[in-house]
């Protein structure tokens, strides 16, 4: 299976490329703003960019679109850039899927919900609160309207191994290893279902292998707020100079509204793949501790 991974230098894309390659699939991973040794340049905002990789020569069977602007507060204050990098890039990925008659896998988020109940199912009504969430939903809708052979996989609070270590858990654990003074003001009223990017890659691989289509929610086995998540990291890598201060989201006053009771249920996926094991935050942190 020839798989094109747009945004393969990021967390989810990088894990997809490594896992799919380990299963014997032929992968072409692209980068836009951040280059790695294993990726080639492709401008998802401008398919006519002369520096773009030659996709005609590759002829993908599957396109996984991982690239987007995920900095939620930045999106709120840079609406056009958010639209370009999330919605327009998805329009272009959809055109590529049509061109090559490939299945498109689009990565979305629980920010398409309003966060009034948590553990969202695929059939639940969407109501995004932020620019980021609205643009992710617009991109979802575009995929549904223009393709029949697609997967939309919603994820949230993704963590795991990546070159830049940008995700919350990896960044926090690395900072704690430095033993420097830290003051963490984190919201105790924002709940989510963190998921390991490696599990995301494995789950997508199964869906593709079984030629599944439609919308799926991915979720790890934890349901935590940000304070509890930080406490887990402190258990493994904390030191006496870490100060954790629980606050409300209202006290933090972020530019973008958050779905407070977020997170999703992976019930549909679990019913179709009952032997699949989702890992949890403790699994990952123990692995990181054992490496050191």
């Amino acid at each position: 299976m020839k798989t094109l991974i747009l945004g393969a230098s990021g967390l989810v894309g990088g894990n997809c490329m490594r896992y799919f390659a380990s299963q014997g699939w032929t992968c072409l991973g692209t980068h836009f703003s951040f280059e790695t040794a294993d990726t080639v340049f492709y401008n998802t905002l401008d398919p006519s960019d002369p520096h773009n990789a030659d996709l005609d020569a590759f002829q993908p069977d599957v396109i996984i679109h991982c690239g987007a602007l995920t900095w939620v507060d930045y999106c709120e204050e840079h609406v056009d850039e958010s639209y370009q990098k999330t919605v327009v890039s998805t329009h272009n990925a959809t055109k590529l899927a049509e061109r090559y008659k490939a299945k498109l896998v689009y990565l979305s988020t629980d920010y398409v919900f309003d966060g009034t109940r948590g553990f969202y199912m695929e059939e639940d009504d969407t109501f995004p609160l932020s620019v980021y969430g609205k643009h992710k939903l617009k991109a979802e809708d575009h995929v549904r309207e223009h393709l029949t052979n697609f997967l939309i996989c919603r994820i949230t609070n993704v963590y795991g191994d990546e070159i830049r270590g940008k995700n919350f858990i990896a960044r926090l654990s690395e900072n704690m290893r430095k033993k420097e003074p830290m003051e963490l003001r984190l919201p105790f009223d924002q709940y989510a279902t963190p998921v390991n990017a490696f599990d995301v890659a494995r789950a997508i691989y199964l869906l593709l292998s079984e030629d599944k289509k439609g919308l799926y929610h991915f979720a790890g086995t934890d349901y935590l707020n940000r304070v509890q998540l930080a406490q887990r990291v402190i258990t493994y890598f904390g030191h006496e100079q870490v100060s954790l201060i629980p606050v409300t989201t209202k006290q933090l006053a972020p530019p973008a509204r958050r779905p407070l009771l977020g997170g999703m249920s992976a019930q549909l996926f679990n019913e179709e793949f009952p032997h699949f094991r989702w890992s949890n935050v403790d699994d990952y942190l123990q692995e990181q501790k054992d490496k050191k």
Side-chain angles (χ1 to χ4, degrees), residues 9 31-35 41-42 85 164:
S9 61
H31 65 263
F32 180 30
S33 58
F34 178 71
E35 179 180 0
F41 178 81
Y42 189 82
K85 291 184 176 178
R164 289 179 287 180

Side-chain angles (χ1 to χ4, degrees), residues 159-215:
Y159 62 91
D161 294 336
E162 64 174 324
I163 292 175
R164 289 179 287 180
K166 286 175 56 182
N167 64 86
F168 178 79
I169 292 177
R171 187 175 68 249
L172 189 56
S173 59
E174 182 59 32
N175 288 343
M176 285 186 185
R177 289 189 188 104
K178 297 175 183 176
K179 303 296 183 182
E180 296 174 353
M182 298 178 65
E183 181 179 284
L184 303 171
R185 291 172 53 84
L186 296 172
F188 60 81
D189 55 354
Q190 289 183 31
Y191 285 83
T193 47
V195 63
N196 192 317
F198 182 66
D199 289 349
V200 173
R202 292 167 53 234
I204 292 174
Y205 175 82
L206 281 177
L207 291 171
L208 291 172
S209 298
E210 297 290 331
D211 196 26
K212 298 289 187 178
K213 299 179 178 67
L215 172 64

Side-chain angles (χ1 to χ4, degrees), residues 10 20 22 26 66 79 107 125-126 147 175 188 197-198 263 266 272 281:
F20 288 11
S22 75
T26 302
C66 303
V79 179
L107 277 297
D125 292 336
T126 54
L147 300 175
N175 288 343
F188 60 81
F198 182 66
E272 295 185 8
V281 173

Side-chain angles (χ1 to χ4, degrees), residues 1-5 25 60-64 102-105 208:
M1 187 79 74
K2 291 191 292 185
T3 307
L4 171 64
I5 303 172
W25 287 20
D61 303 303
V62 173
I63 299 171
I64 303 178
K103 174 173 286 185
L104 179 66
V105 182
L208 291 172

Side-chain angles (χ1 to χ4, degrees), residues 258-278:
R258 264 52 173 187
L260 299 184
L261 298 181
M264 292 171 290
S265 168
Q267 180 179 337
L268 174 62
F269 180 90
N270 294 339
E271 289 175 351
E272 295 185 8
F273 299 96
H275 299 295
F276 186 89
R277 179 188 180 273
W278 297 98

